Amino acid sequence: MTIQNCWEFKNCGREPGGAKTAELGVCPASTEHRTDGVNHGKNGGRACWAISGTMCGGRVQGTYAAKIGNCLNCEFYQRVQREEKPRFETSAKILERIT
């Protein structure tokens, strides 16, 4: 099993140098260095659900509180949770890093 970051799994093109950065901007998950290594990801690539301004369903998502309901149903979130058990870093721990 290959560990993927959200931008690789979702193929969104918002990582630095990605195909859609001119149109949609660089995703904050791809540059959030405070979460580098969380759940074995690069920057916020495996902690995107806790980072404001990521994109889902073609729309930029707001704050953690506003988007976590959607994230809990996300295939990528569920995959990371399965892959990282029992060492999955929870949202609370991730938020401690970035606030």
Side-chain angles (χ1 to χ4, degrees):
M1 182 179 325
T2 303
I3 297 292
Q4 290 183 303
N5 292 295
C6 57
W7 56 87
E8 296 162 327
F9 184 83
K10 295 285 194 175
N11 196 29
C12 69
R14 292 187 67 209
E15 71 279 5
K20 295 185 182 174
T21 57
E23 175 188 348
L24 302 172
V26 173
C27 180
S30 69
T31 60
E32 181 50 76
H33 62 87
R34 294 173 293 182
T35 53
D36 191 47
V38 168
N39 296 317
H40 295 98
K42 179 178 179 185
N43 293 331
R46 289 174 67 88
C48 52
W49 52 89
I51 300 170
S52 298
T54 59
M55 184 172 278
C56 185
R59 297 182 334 191
V60 172
Q61 302 294 299
T63 65
Y64 169 78
K67 71 181 202 159
I68 190 59
N70 289 333
C71 295
L72 294 175
N73 294 314
C74 174
E75 183 181 352
F76 179 71
Y77 173 85
Q78 293 171 0
R79 178 180 175 171
V80 172
Q81 194 174 39
R82 278 192 314 271
E83 290 174 351
E84 298 299 327
K85 276 191 175 180
R87 294 188 176 93
F88 178 73
E89 192 156 339
T90 65
S91 297
K93 293 244 183 215
I94 296 166
L95 291 168
E96 284 177 16
R97 289 175 178 248
I98 60 177
T99 54

